[in-house]
Amino acid sequence: MRHLLDTTDLSLAEIDEMIALAMDIIDNPKKYAHICDGKKLATLFFEPSTRTRLSFEAAMYELGGNVLGFSEAASSSASKGESVEDTVRMVSCYADIIAMRHPLEGAPRVGASKALVPIINAGDGGHAHPTQTLTDLLTIYREKGTFDNLTVGLCGDLKFGRTVHSLIKAMSRYKNVKFVLISPKELSVPEYIKTDVLKPSGCEYKEVEHMADVMSELDILYMTRIQRERFFSEEEYLKHKDAFILDTDKLIRAKNSLTIMHPLPRVNEITTAVDDDPRAKYFIQALNGKYIRMALIITLLKWGELL
Ligand code: NCD
């Protein structure tokens, strides 16, 4: 049984195929409207979510399937002390595919060890968020037509932001990609991202503390919010809350072809005036999340011979 626990579970050829499938879904939605008739997706969300959960649900409905699940740990048997393994094993009896979000790093992998159906990691703590990365890749593909030769700026909470970790893992596999890591020192990328991902990939990268200095170099600017729920002290949080805000003034030096992305939710790190800039793509990115999840559900069900 194939699962999606981390971005690197997929080969580059498989990512290309999934993106091609998403593009076909965008162009020919009717062709896919009944492909999952009678199939069920379970969404096990032990941590809050709006886009990820609802886009999974919308994706399954648009494929003709049905959805069951819970949106908070408190309304599941986890609140009675049930283990992730038991929950997943049991839900495998009720659903054909499971999307799971959990505050603990590695929880979806633990669940997958007992699963009888494909498990999709919909975000595990500060670790990974592979379906957001597929969403980001589809957005980059639709904007740039390629993943090669791009300078990607990632800004904000690079330490706790799981979308950032997964995107770096994915983009570092392409040719001549450069990373500009923009964050306060306390929120820079974890050491393992440098030693296990960036350095072995041979990609050029630099760490800076001022967005304005590097703006003109960027092809993509990936903004993120401060992950308040993963901060241990409120004092730490307040120190960084307003740092690294993108506004229209900072964009004056940016390329016309810049693509501004954000996994959302936004707090205050992009001013609402930026939303009207044609380079702002974060709401289209959210829409792309539905299409790529449709492609992912079809692909995993087919690989598991469940479709
Ligand atoms: C992200 C997440 O949950 O990691 N949101 C999302 O899935 N679109 C980003 C975030 O919460 O900041």
Side-chain angles (χ1 to χ4, degrees), residues 51-52 101 129 132 162-163 225 227 229-230 262-265 293:
R51 261 151 306 274
T52 304
R101 169 170 288 192
H129 196 347
Q132 181 62 46
R162 56 194 172 196
T163 60
R225 76 181 168 92
Q227 301 279 305
E229 68 276 32
R230 302 191 207 292
H262 192 311
L264 303 177
R293 288 179 174 100

Side-chain angles (χ1 to χ4, degrees), residues 169-200:
K169 277 188 208 161
M171 286 300 290
S172 63
R173 300 204 282 173
Y174 295 99
K175 285 192 207 84
N176 192 30
V177 172
K178 297 189 181 107
F179 293 97
V180 183
L181 308 171
I182 312 158
S183 75
K185 280 209 171 62
E186 297 89 329
L187 294 181
S188 63
V189 291
E191 211 43 44
Y192 84 90
I193 292 287
K194 291 187 216 165
T195 55
D196 301 355
V197 183
L198 285 168
K199 285 186 182 142

Side-chain angles (χ1 to χ4, degrees), residues 20-272:
L21 179 55
M23 295 298 287
D24 196 47
I25 292 169
I26 293 168
D27 292 340
N28 305 291
K30 283 206 179 102
K31 200 166 120 188
Y32 297 91
H34 294 288
I35 196 166
C36 286
D37 277 0
K39 300 290 171 199
K40 281 170 284 177
L41 163 77
T43 52
L44 312 186
F45 277 64
F46 297 87
E47 201 185 60
S49 168
T50 305
R51 261 151 306 274
T52 304
R53 188 171 59 83
L54 296 188
S55 66
F56 262 117
E57 296 190 0
M60 194 50 161
Y61 286 128
E62 288 195 22
L63 296 170
N66 290 299
V67 180
L68 63 164
F70 53 83
S71 55
E72 49 179 352
S75 62
S76 79
S77 283
S79 64
K80 300 179 187 167
E82 185 171 57
S83 70
V84 166
E85 288 102 311
D86 282 3
T87 304
V88 166
R89 191 168 198 159
M90 191 262 315
V91 174
S92 294
C93 307
Y94 306 146
D96 303 285
I97 186 163
I98 297 174
M100 177 179 163
R101 169 170 288 192
H102 202 284
L104 288 180
E105 282 86 2
R109 189 171 295 280
V110 170
S113 68
K114 297 287 183 210
L116 308 171
V117 299
I119 300 284
I120 301 168
N121 177 4
D124 60 331
H127 175 235
H129 196 347
T131 66
Q132 181 62 46
T133 297
L134 291 174
T135 300
D136 301 340
L137 292 178
L138 177 59
T139 306
I140 293 170
Y141 180 79
R142 292 185 80 186
E143 292 302 319
K144 305 287 186 206
T146 178
F147 301 116
D148 298 329
N149 307 312
L150 296 172
T151 299
V152 183
L154 297 120
C155 179
D157 186 345
L158 309 188
K159 182 173 183 186
F160 296 105
R162 56 194 172 196
T163 60
V164 167
H165 307 156
S166 288
L167 186 59
I168 292 176
K169 277 188 208 161
M171 286 300 290
S172 63
R173 300 204 282 173
Y174 295 99
K175 285 192 207 84
N176 192 30
V177 172
K178 297 189 181 107
F179 293 97
V180 183
L181 308 171
I182 312 158
S183 75
K185 280 209 171 62
E186 297 89 329
L187 294 181
S188 63
V189 291
E191 211 43 44
Y192 84 90
I193 292 287
K194 291 187 216 165
T195 55
D196 301 355
V197 183
L198 285 168
K199 285 186 182 142
S201 76
C203 287
E204 253 180 59
Y205 74 93
K206 64 179 173 186
E207 295 182 274
V208 302
E209 285 191 77
H210 296 284
M211 193 186 331
D213 296 349
V214 292
M215 190 61 91
S216 61
E217 301 166 26
L218 306 179
D219 298 306
I220 291 167
L221 174 57
Y222 195 89
M223 295 295 298
T224 62
R225 76 181 168 92
I226 303 286
Q227 301 279 305
R228 183 179 190 175
E229 68 276 32
R230 302 191 207 292
F231 264 77
F232 298 112
S233 86
E234 184 74 12
E235 197 189 321
E236 268 293 282
Y237 167 71
L238 291 172
K239 213 161 77 189
H240 297 301
K241 197 166 79 77
D242 293 320
F244 307 92
I245 292 177
L246 179 64
D247 54 24
T248 46
D249 282 350
K250 291 201 184 80
L251 279 173
I252 289 169
R253 300 176 62 194
K255 290 183 187 174
N256 285 335
S257 60
L258 176 71
T259 300
I260 306 167
M261 298 171 64
H262 192 311
L264 303 177
R266 152 175 65 185
V267 183
N268 61 350
E269 58 281 349
I270 303 180
T271 62
T272 50

Side-chain angles (χ1 to χ4, degrees), residues 10-23:
L10 299 170
S11 68
L12 296 187
E14 287 167 345
I15 289 175
D16 284 348
E17 278 166 32
M18 217 168 306
I19 286 179
L21 179 55
M23 295 298 287

